[in-house]
Amino acid sequence: MYRFNHFNFNVSDLDRSLAFYREALGLTQVREKRAQDGSYVIAFLGDSATGFSLELTWLRDHPQAYDLGECEFHLALTTPDMAASLAKHKEMGCVCFENPAMGIYFIEDPDGYWIEIVPEKK
């Protein structure tokens, strides 16, 4: 039996991304791996509720923006309070798409990755 472990986003500015994920989603760094030669840093973020983590990878030798194609992939997180969550993300200016009919919305991180916000099932 397989279980989910982590998902990766490559980022252009690790500090900026860490700040975004902390402020927008409350994710905190749970561990880090650094290359001895400084060529990469991998930071794993957790939500303190599940064992799943988001891996943010910074590569020194990749100064250009990442090609995200058509952004047809995304990460999804749940929230117990959609109204408060949406208000916070609108205040941050990171809401990129709303679908009121489905009761969901998406935010965009500093590198252009989309994160779906879904109501917690009760």
Side-chain angles (χ1 to χ4, degrees):
M1 183 65 178
Y2 295 95
R3 295 188 185 121
F4 283 108
N5 181 272
H6 71 271
F7 187 78
N8 170 260
F9 286 153
N10 283 17
V11 299
S12 58
D13 182 329
L14 185 58
D15 290 335
R16 179 182 68 176
S17 292
L18 289 171
F20 173 82
Y21 283 97
R22 183 175 45 253
E23 182 181 353
L25 300 168
L27 301 181
T28 57
Q29 187 171 328
V30 295
R31 68 184 192 279
E32 180 180 273
K33 183 183 257 188
R34 289 179 175 267
Q36 286 186 334
D37 66 359
S39 61
Y40 69 83
V41 178
I42 300 172
F44 292 89
L45 308 181
D47 62 10
S48 76
T50 69
F52 186 84
S53 56
L54 175 61
E55 174 186 320
L56 300 180
T57 301
W58 172 82
L59 302 170
R60 179 188 62 206
D61 299 328
H62 197 285
Q64 69 275 24
Y66 286 95
D67 180 356
L68 304 183
E70 295 180 12
C71 280
E72 288 298 322
F73 58 90
H74 64 270
L75 181 65
L77 285 87
T78 61
T79 181
D81 189 341
M82 285 294 282
S85 181
L86 180 59
K88 175 183 181 163
H89 292 142
K90 281 187 173 184
E91 183 178 306
M92 290 178 64
C94 61
V95 175
C96 57
F97 181 75
E98 292 182 66
N99 188 330
M102 291 182 70
I104 63 170
Y105 68 93
F106 290 80
I107 60 175
E108 186 174 358
D109 89 346
D111 287 285
Y113 296 104
W114 282 29
I115 298 113
E116 181 179 2
I117 307 299
V118 180
E120 205 171 75
K121 290 186 181 183
K122 298 178 184 191

